Amino acid sequence: MRSQCLVIVASLCLTLISLPLANAATPDETVLQAGAAISNITPPISLDPVAQSKRPPATHVHDELHARCLVLDDGQARLALVVCDLRHMSAEVAANAKQLIQSATGIPPESVLISATHTHTSSGAKLEEGEGELYYDYKALLARRIAEGVLRAVNQLEPARIGWGVVEEPTQVFNRRWFLMPGRGIIYGAHDNIEHVDTNPGYTGLLRPAGPVDPQITFLSVQSTSGKPIALFASYGLHYVGGIPARTISADYFAIFADRIGELLGADPNQDPPFVGIMANGTSGDVNNLERYSEEELAKRDPQPKKRYLPYEKAREVAYLCADKVLQGHQSLQWHDYVKLSSVQRTLTFERRYPTKEEVEWAEAVKAKKIKPMSTSRYSTYSTVLAYASPEMPPTIDVIVQTHRIGDLAIAAMPFEVFAEIGLELKDRSPIQPLMNISIANGSHGYLPTPQQHRLGGYETWIGVNKVQLDASEKMVDSLVEMLGELEQPPSE
């Protein structure tokens, strides 16, 4: 049965490659064109409500998951921007989708950006064969559906004008890593290793956040020459919001924003083709939506009962606040009838992290004690430490990084859950302003802290969730700044 399904998927992919570019406009060096589309990527849900696994499968879909696609054409080059309602985006799926996109549309892989939002109520890369259930190769379907979305966006290219802007929504982003009060440091292992910060700690005994946040929402808006909204593409440095019932599929606040911004821009829900709103994940590796206070701040505040949110209520609140801010910035946009597009892509090779001798000894001791802690406990990582100590693990990891230029707007795409301070440094050093950062793009290789944050410890620095050499962030930022400098200059207006 499995081989039959794979043959069917392969046949469908060949059909995709042979599809004509219906309605594709003829390239014109003086005309900017844009097209947008969405493609449904919702995986199947379990029909067995009592099915058990390491991560119980979803049994309900609250809102469908999509690949949201925007294609721009300057007459000489095309750029495809895709954001998927997924927790992660594997490099394998991204590469396969790009091959299909190139075959169907001619857009080269370096001009295709595919990212994930990191919604925690989505699916992984593959649904495994389950007892009594048909094997389902979700990775193959996902690559095809992404490519279909880009093809549909190409088919809908039309003359357009474009604008971009930056607004701020600081009330919804908080660094989730905290220094603790003296004596509260987390000690693990036989060698009294102390982690100086805690990720998502309790609400007491806190000293100060361990890093900054990036409150900016950078956005790109496209409309037809007659003023009809085509798409709005935004990026915000905030993890998923959550507040969604268990075993339920949802795209979280990212999709709510996409719908809301269309309403605020006056997009006709019946227009053809439909408006496409898009929210990408910025540099949010150490940022979430849970506000905490230091002990000093708590002493000054009047005790307030913690608000209890209904399912989806908090996600909607965040999405609406972000959409309102983008609308304010949108009202003063400078529109461009034509912009130049350019892209630069590099493959960086990083050394893989291996656990130290002391970490291996600690993991062996935990294994011997047969401790069964909660998944968020430091002790839960002992098996990962032992797995990463294996000499069979490849010594290096290749990662793809990209930069894109749309007129005087730049984009930096990174295949990690990137810390906010890394994104802020990139924005500060970028020779092109403004800069939009997009994480979990063209792959997903774990968290990316700075070397300084590594020294502080905490969840995001643990073996397994952080896979590359400790100075990888510095090497990546230096490369991206060089790449931004290599992007082709737009023509003078």
Side-chain angles (χ1 to χ4, degrees):
M1 180 64 72
R2 173 175 176 173
S3 60
Q4 291 177 346
C5 290
L6 292 177
V7 169
I8 292 172
V9 171
S11 175
L12 290 172
C13 290
L14 289 175
T15 302
L16 170 64
I17 292 172
S18 64
L19 289 173
L21 299 183
N23 302 321
T26 302
D28 185 330
E29 295 184 8
T30 62
V31 175
L32 174 71
Q33 297 183 90
I38 64 173
S39 184
N40 193 313
I41 59 171
T42 308
I45 59 177
S46 175
L47 300 179
D48 182 358
V50 297
Q52 297 296 319
S53 64
K54 183 177 181 181
R55 188 178 181 192
T59 57
H60 177 65
V61 177
H62 174 266
D63 52 284
E64 304 282 352
L65 308 182
H66 293 96
R68 304 169 189 273
C69 312
L70 171 62
V71 173
L72 302 174
D73 186 324
D74 69 0
Q76 293 182 316
R78 284 180 178 174
L79 173 62
L81 305 174
V82 183
V83 175
C84 299
D85 296 322
L86 294 171
R87 184 172 184 173
H88 297 295
M89 167 57 60
S90 75
E92 176 191 5
V93 168
N96 291 343
K98 290 183 182 187
Q99 289 180 356
L100 292 172
I101 290 168
Q102 184 173 28
S103 298
T105 70
I107 305 176
E110 62 269 20
S111 297
V112 179
L113 191 166
I114 305 174
S115 72
T117 61
H118 200 59
T119 172
H120 270 222
T121 45
S122 67
S123 172
K126 188 174 185 179
L127 300 180
E128 301 294 348
E129 187 172 8
E131 183 178 352
E133 294 187 12
L134 178 66
Y135 174 85
Y136 199 94
D137 191 343
Y138 183 55
K139 289 194 296 185
L141 175 67
L142 180 56
R144 173 182 165 83
R145 287 287 172 83
I146 292 171
E148 285 179 343
V150 173
L151 176 61
R152 289 162 59 189
V154 168
N155 291 342
Q156 295 173 162
L157 284 169
E158 62 178 304
R161 58 184 183 180
I162 194 167
W164 50 84
V166 179
V167 294
E168 292 194 0
E169 180 44 80
T171 68
Q172 301 303 308
V173 285
F174 309 99
N175 196 289
R176 68 182 192 174
R177 289 163 53 83
W178 280 78
F179 287 101
L180 306 180
M181 297 291 287
R184 292 286 300 276
I186 302 170
I187 302 176
Y188 71 93
H191 298 273
D192 290 340
N193 298 300
I194 298 179
E195 298 204 300
H196 299 280
V197 303
D198 192 12
T199 298
N200 290 327
Y203 288 86
T204 60
L206 306 182
L207 190 60
R208 65 182 185 279
V213 297
D214 182 356
Q216 291 186 339
I217 306 173
T218 308
F219 67 94
L220 170 72
S221 184
V222 185
Q223 58 181 223
S224 70
T225 52
S226 64
K228 178 190 68 177
I230 294 175
L232 187 137
F233 189 110
S235 175
Y236 189 40
L238 174 62
H239 251 72
Y240 70 98
V241 172
I244 294 166
R247 303 184 75 165
T248 298
I249 284 177
S250 172
D252 209 281
Y253 85 95
F254 306 94
I256 302 174
F257 170 89
D259 292 339
R260 179 59 174 168
I261 194 62
E263 295 174 359
L264 295 180
L265 294 179
D268 186 340
N270 298 314
Q271 75 180 43
D272 186 19
F275 170 84
V276 177
I278 307 172
M279 173 65 88
N281 193 316
T283 48
S284 67
D286 55 345
V287 177
N288 66 13
N289 190 242
L290 301 176
E291 187 172 15
R292 293 175 170 85
Y293 303 96
S294 68
E295 285 293 302
E296 182 180 355
E297 291 172 319
L298 279 176
K300 299 176 182 178
R301 295 177 60 87
D302 293 330
Q304 295 290 336
K306 187 177 180 181
K307 180 178 178 180
R308 292 185 177 274
Y309 287 91
L310 296 173
Y312 312 102
E313 183 181 3
K314 184 62 175 178
R316 184 172 293 105
E317 177 183 294
V318 173
Y320 276 44
L321 285 170
C322 290
D324 287 343
K325 288 297 178 67
V326 169
L327 177 65
Q328 294 175 21
H330 198 276
Q331 294 170 344
S332 59
L333 283 189
Q334 177 183 354
W335 293 98
H336 304 264
D337 294 326
Y338 181 82
V339 294
K340 187 69 178 174
L341 308 175
S342 59
S343 301
V344 174
Q345 175 175 297
R346 288 185 188 176
T347 299
L348 306 180
T349 300
F350 292 130
E351 297 176 3
R352 181 185 292 274
R353 282 186 65 193
Y354 290 93
T356 63
K357 177 183 177 181
E358 290 77 15
E359 286 175 319
V360 173
E361 291 175 349
W362 167 81
E364 292 283 9
V366 174
K367 181 179 180 181
K369 294 177 182 178
K370 298 182 179 180
I371 297 174
K372 293 183 179 180
M374 295 175 61
S375 61
T376 54
S377 165
R378 186 68 172 82
Y379 289 99
S380 67
T381 67
Y382 78 88
S383 59
T384 306
V385 171
L386 296 177
Y388 272 69
S390 170
E392 296 180 2
M393 296 288 284
T396 59
I397 298 177
D398 290 338
V399 305
I400 291 175
V401 292
Q402 290 179 333
T403 56
H404 306 281
R405 184 165 190 162
I406 304 170
D408 283 328
L409 171 71
I411 298 174
M414 300 157 278
F416 298 96
E417 291 183 62
V418 182
F419 274 32
E421 62 191 281
I422 297 172
L424 290 169
E425 180 185 353
L426 260 175
K427 288 183 175 182
D428 183 62
R429 293 177 58 186
S430 174
I432 308 169
Q433 298 291 338
L435 174 68
M436 176 189 291
N437 288 316
I438 299 179
S439 294
I440 323 176
N442 307 307
S444 180
H445 302 285
Y447 284 96
L448 191 66
T450 64
Q452 293 78 13
Q453 292 291 340
H454 269 292
R455 287 192 284 271
L456 297 176
Y459 166 70
E460 298 87 354
T461 70
W462 296 350
I463 287 284
V465 296
N466 173 257
K467 305 174 183 179
V468 292
Q469 62 194 75
L470 303 189
D471 63 346
S473 67
E474 295 178 336
K475 295 181 180 298
M476 186 190 72
V477 169
D478 288 343
S479 293
L480 285 169
V481 172
E482 288 180 5
M483 294 162 64
L484 288 164
E486 295 171 9
L487 289 170
E488 185 177 351
Q489 296 287 333
S492 58
E493 298 186 11

